[in-house]
Amino acid sequence: MAVDEQKSGAEGKVWSLCKMPFWQSTNGSSSSSSSMHNTNNNNNVYQQNQGQQVMGRSIVNSSNVSSMAKSLLPTRRRLRLDPHNKLYFPYEPGKQVRSAISIKNTSRSHVAFKFQTTAPKSCYMRPPGGILAPGENLIATVFKFVEPPENNERPVDQKSKVKFKIMSLKVKGEMDYVPEVFDEQKDQVAVEQILRVVFLDPEHPSPALDKLKRQLAEAEAALEARKKPPEDTGPRIVGEGLVIDEWKERRERYLARQQVEGVDSV
């Protein structure tokens, strides 16, 4: 009996030993799988966060690169200037001299332009600004007082620190030019060109001097044309086909005045 009890006790222990690893291994595998699942989820979340951060950095970097590229690109010009970056003046010390520059609107919209100078007391422009239709061209005249030289400097050695700047602004259609439009739309204003002063010896002919004289003559002719009153195109037409000339208007006014005077005398 004792032997049987010992055997049964031993068999129970062996069975319990056989059962325990099975349950322990099952619990361990489930816990390990859940931990692996959690680890994978954490890894996926981490990878997603990393991907979003990398994507955000790439977007920021691309925007920075695009803005930098835009800043490096040359500004698209709305005006074509002739001369391009200089203003030629005859060197005549102690006198007011003139220069000229051709300005043409090369864009598809109306463009306002404006002159600025670093020496507003000794320089001025005619016109100082205006509005050009697409393809329209004008020649502006620039006036400058030439200071007498110091230490008997020669004309070729005479230098001027005066500079001029031409700015442009797109406007909607035809409108009256007012300088304040450049202050109201500062973000849309573009600097077309900064012009430096170059003196020419009026006693020595040169292609630049000949071109300057030709442009000044064209500017004067255009100014005189603008000053002239509009030509009379004949009798005015009122309504459809009814022609009233000046003589008829005077006669009608005279008859009306006579009728009024006759009524007053009565």
Side-chain angles (χ1 to χ4, degrees):
M1 293 293 293
V3 173
D4 294 337
E5 291 177 357
Q6 291 178 355
K7 287 183 179 181
S8 61
E11 289 176 354
K13 291 181 180 179
V14 171
W15 174 248
S16 63
L17 290 175
C18 292
K19 291 173 64 178
M20 290 301 293
F22 172 77
W23 290 109
Q24 288 179 356
S25 63
T26 304
N27 294 333
S29 63
S30 62
S31 61
S32 63
S33 63
S34 63
S35 62
M36 289 179 63
H37 180 69
N38 293 332
T39 303
N40 291 334
N41 289 336
N42 293 334
N43 290 335
N44 292 334
V45 172
Y46 175 77
Q47 291 176 358
Q48 290 178 358
N49 293 334
Q50 290 293 326
Q52 292 176 356
Q53 292 178 2
V54 171
M55 185 179 297
R57 286 197 297 269
S58 63
I59 292 173
V60 172
N61 292 335
S62 62
S63 63
N64 292 336
V65 170
S66 62
S67 61
M68 185 180 298
K70 289 180 180 179
S71 64
L72 295 175
L73 290 175
T75 305
R76 186 175 181 179
R77 305 297 181 187
R78 300 164 181 159
L79 304 175
R80 186 170 65 206
L81 309 177
D82 185 22
H84 175 61
N85 57 359
K86 300 175 182 178
L87 280 177
Y88 293 99
F89 291 90
Y91 183 71
E92 299 178 9
K95 295 183 179 180
Q96 187 182 69
V97 294
R98 297 180 302 162
S99 181
I101 182 170
S102 174
I103 307 174
K104 183 176 183 179
N105 180 7
T106 57
S107 69
R108 296 181 179 179
S109 62
H110 285 68
V111 173
F113 71 92
K114 179 182 178 181
F115 271 100
Q116 281 188 343
T117 179
T118 57
K121 293 183 179 180
S122 61
C123 304
Y124 68 95
M125 290 68 65
R126 187 179 67 189
I131 296 179
L132 297 175
E136 187 178 359
N137 178 76
L138 67 79
I139 298 179
T141 307
V142 185
F143 298 82
K144 173 177 172 53
F145 179 79
V146 181
E147 297 289 344
E150 297 180 1
N151 302 324
N152 296 322
E153 291 179 331
R154 295 180 302 169
V156 292
D157 298 330
Q158 177 72 8
K159 297 180 180 180
S160 176
K161 296 182 180 179
V162 178
K163 292 183 180 180
F164 295 85
K165 180 168 65 175
I166 297 182
M167 299 179 296
S168 68
L169 173 67
K170 285 187 177 182
V171 294
K172 296 181 180 180
E174 297 181 0
M175 57 180 291
D176 294 332
Y177 171 76
V178 287
E180 290 76 13
V181 69
F182 284 86
D183 298 329
E184 297 171 357
Q185 304 181 31
K186 291 181 179 180
D187 297 338
Q188 305 298 326
V189 175
V191 176
E192 289 289 334
Q193 190 60 262
I194 295 178
L195 309 167
R196 64 186 184 91
V197 173
V198 177
F199 287 112
L200 302 174
D201 187 354
E203 302 298 329
H204 292 80
S206 64
L209 184 61
D210 294 339
K211 183 177 181 179
L212 174 59
K213 292 180 180 179
R214 185 172 63 253
Q215 286 185 324
L216 287 173
E218 293 177 4
E220 287 295 329
L223 179 62
E224 292 298 326
R226 289 195 296 269
K227 288 182 179 179
K228 290 183 179 179
E231 296 182 358
D232 188 9
T233 57
R236 291 175 295 171
I237 300 178
V238 181
E240 297 182 0
L242 179 59
V243 178
I244 303 178
D245 56 16
E246 185 178 358
W247 181 84
K248 277 191 174 183
E249 289 182 352
R250 288 183 178 179
R251 184 172 181 274
E252 289 175 358
R253 287 198 297 269
Y254 173 77
L255 293 176
R257 188 166 59 252
Q258 291 293 326
Q259 290 178 359
V260 172
E261 292 176 355
V263 171
D264 293 338
S265 63
V266 173

